[in-house]
Amino acid sequence: MKAGVIVFPGSNCDIDAYKVLEKLNVEVKYIWHDEKIDDEDLIVLPGGFSYGDYLRCGAIARFAKALENINEHIEKGKLVLGICNGFQILTELKALPGALLRNKNLNFICSDCNLIVENTDTPFTNLFKKGDIVNFPIAHGEGNYYIDDEGLGELIKNNQIVFRYQNNPNGSVADIAGIVNKRGNVLGMMPHPERAQDKLLGGEDGLVFFKSVIAYFKEV
Amino acid sequence: MIKAYIDVTLKKSILDPQGTAVKKGLEKLSLYTEDVRIGKHIEVLLKEDKIEAAREKIDEMCRRLLVNFEVETYSVRFEVIE
């Protein structure tokens, strides 16, 4: 399994994502925003403030050269993981439905966060059990997931909600913290599994998340 | 040339926490309002000289980048600049 972490100007969780994959012996490399992605099995769009989050979070990043072929990549069934700013970019790309709005209380929230695992039938969560509570940090000002009623109905019908907040911190519709596309190979989430990779950093629930991806490729 | 003044606002159905916070701020000054909504203002200068052509261009810009129609809507005003 090969992985690439895209680095945009303003990304700040790229090293965390790289380190957790490296720690799990995945062949991983950084991909600068003006390089093209290759045949990586997993592309990570990391957290941060790509291009200063100008206009809207993720709105400018979607034009990066590194994302030129992202739709083909997704069509091939390769995995794409967008964390935090990466999730915002995936909604701007329309690779995932909905949008991320300003947190309901207007605060930038930086804290630990308990999540309920809703869907274990994805390449990213296959080592969890449905209903597991995991602790990943959140750090965002615009993580308030919005989707209209019709879209929410679709998400529920297709089992696309992967993580829900135990205590909704930001006003997200239906407590949604992370969703997949219909096919299940694109995941966007506001919480940071890559930051929960070591007890020294406060917890290691994130390792199970990334081990799920590795397990998925062993099975494929 | 034509200058386009674009206002991008959250759709009516979307809660605007910034507007709510400002409404509360105004209340602290004893200035009472029915509602406050906050949006973005974008000014674009075009070399077109016909408003029709400018409108077409601005609509495309809004569709493809300036507005996220999941949650936002927009209005435009044009000014011909000599």
Side-chain angles (χ1 to χ4, degrees), chain A residues 143-192:
Chain A
N144 176 357
Y145 182 74
Y146 174 80
I147 191 161
D148 61 21
D149 290 343
E150 193 186 334
L152 178 62
E154 282 288 301
L155 288 183
I156 294 169
K157 192 179 87 187
N158 301 317
N159 200 19
Q160 285 174 257
I161 301 170
V162 180
F163 295 105
R164 286 192 207 248
Y165 298 109
Q166 199 173 34
N167 296 305
N168 192 338
N170 54 24
S172 291
V173 166
D175 304 327
I176 288 172
I179 56 168
V180 280
N181 62 347
K182 267 188 197 160
R183 187 168 172 182
N185 61 326
V186 179
L187 171 70
M189 60 192 294
M190 289 312 297
H192 290 274

Side-chain angles (χ1 to χ4, degrees), chain A residues 3-68:
Chain A
V5 178
I6 298 184
V7 184
F8 299 101
S11 292
N12 64 12
C13 299
D14 43 332
I15 298 176
D16 304 66
Y18 182 95
K19 289 286 176 191
V20 70
L21 289 162
E22 184 187 53
K23 182 173 178 167
L24 297 172
N25 300 314
V26 173
E27 187 185 334
V28 56
K29 66 170 187 177
Y30 291 113
I31 301 169
W32 183 234
H33 68 111
D34 65 356
E35 291 170 353
K36 283 200 166 185
I37 54 174
D38 197 5
D39 62 343
E40 290 80 14
D41 302 295
L42 168 70
I43 291 290
V44 182
L45 308 181
F49 303 85
S50 55
Y51 305 92
D53 273 351
Y54 294 151
L55 190 64
R56 293 181 306 275
C57 306
I60 309 292
R62 82 171 205 261
F63 300 107
K65 194 169 176 189
L67 296 183
E68 263 176 26

